[in-house]
Amino acid sequence: MNVKSAEFVKGIVGPDQMLEDGKHKIAFIGRSNVGKSSVINSLLGKKGLVKSSSTPGKTKEINLFLVNEIMYFVDLPGYGYAKISMQAREKLRNLILWYLTSPEIEHSRIVLIIDAKVGPTKLDEEMVEILKNHGHDFMVIANKADKLKRNSRIVQLKTIQKKIGAEVILYSSKTRDGKKEVFAKIFE
Ligand SMILES: Nc1nc2c(ncn2[C@@H]2O[C@H](COP(=O)(O)OP(=O)(O)OP(=O)(O)O)[C@@H](O)[C@H]2O)c(=O)[nH]1
Ligand SMILES: [Mg+2]
């Protein structure tokens, strides 16, 4: 895909504010700090469009970015960040779950991002279950592949695929390795 324009449109903090304009949405979901915001930036080729940070828990709202005027890339808050209050964690979890169960996103693409080196955690496996239970068609990206030694990549990829029970694309938002495959899968 040729990215001609990408702009921040809106941050959603509660269930009353969904954008209901019928445009296609591609949502990125995953554990806190796994690199969701960085993946979006690297795919869109716009450094700094989406705020990323080495401090987990950076994204606290559901942020919508309008791409080429025709679709939204959706940056969701991460799950599983331990160093916030139980209440705040519950609030983020509810926000994510609300998004996933919102009728408006029924035909959205969901991109689950996991850490290539760490592999799927218990929370990631729970998210896979949630996505399956809601009948979502989702794809999986293993980000931070640059942290893997070249010769261990295939083995790690196979291990992750076996655990998740789905096809997984190795990706790095640092080197943009895998970008072509990711775009091809998103728009397949
Ligand atoms: N080595 C490496 N680091 C990465 C990669 N992608 C993201 N990071 C780093 O991981 C950290 C977290 O990135 P974010 O994009 O903010 O992660 P996030 O999932 O949006 O985090 P939350 O918004 O807190 O849920 C930052 O320090 C990034 O620079 C990657 O492909 N390779
Ligand atoms: Mg983020």
Side-chain angles (χ1 to χ4, degrees):
M1 186 182 75
N2 203 352
V3 180
K4 286 180 228 118
S5 65
E7 56 177 319
F8 173 73
V9 175
K10 190 175 178 159
I12 298 172
V13 289
D16 50 329
Q17 302 174 297
M18 198 63 184
L19 264 192
E20 307 207 9
D21 60 2
K23 285 197 175 84
H24 193 63
K25 294 185 184 65
I26 297 144
F28 295 78
I29 185 164
R31 223 158 29 83
S32 180
N33 216 38
V34 74
K36 298 171 293 300
S37 301
S38 304
V39 167
I40 296 178
N41 275 328
S42 64
L43 289 176
L44 296 179
K46 305 241 183 244
K47 229 179 176 179
L49 173 72
V50 192
K51 287 193 191 78
S52 66
S53 158
S54 53
T55 316
K58 180 75 191 171
T59 311
K60 294 189 180 71
E61 304 181 343
I62 296 174
N63 290 320
L64 287 113
F65 299 86
L66 184 61
V67 180
N68 291 353
E69 313 274 335
I70 51 166
M71 72 187 115
Y72 294 106
F73 273 36
V74 183
D75 189 24
L76 288 163
Y79 49 80
Y81 180 42
K83 286 183 195 151
I84 48 174
S85 71
M86 187 102 116
Q87 224 175 359
R89 204 156 54 205
E90 204 44 38
K91 203 176 153 204
L92 285 185
R93 189 183 149 81
N94 285 338
L95 194 59
I96 297 167
L97 287 179
W98 162 72
Y99 183 85
L100 293 177
T101 54
S102 158
E104 222 241 321
I105 70 138
E106 240 166 56
H107 303 293
S108 273
R109 198 91 177 93
I110 296 197
V111 183
L112 174 66
I113 303 179
I114 62 165
D115 187 298
K117 199 166 178 188
V118 177
T121 65
K122 215 174 157 210
L123 286 176
D124 293 327
E125 281 167 11
E126 261 173 51
M127 185 49 70
V128 167
E129 281 311 301
I130 291 171
L131 292 172
K132 281 183 182 161
N133 287 342
H134 284 103
H136 281 303
D137 178 29
F138 62 96
M139 59 177 276
V140 187
I141 292 181
N143 186 41
K144 307 195 186 184
D146 56 281
K147 288 186 168 183
L148 296 174
K149 290 205 183 79
R150 284 229 163 248
N151 56 12
S152 68
R153 285 187 189 178
I154 300 298
V155 175
Q156 177 66 347
L157 180 63
K158 286 202 171 130
T159 309
I160 294 173
Q161 291 190 147
K162 206 169 165 196
K163 268 194 188 156
I164 296 246
E167 193 196 323
V168 176
I169 301 172
L170 274 184
Y171 185 72
S172 165
S173 47
K174 208 170 165 184
T175 64
R176 296 183 189 179
D177 267 357
K179 186 168 168 174
K180 247 192 193 158
E181 290 92 321
V182 169
F183 267 135
K185 184 82 185 168
I186 287 179
F187 297 111
E188 112 182 325

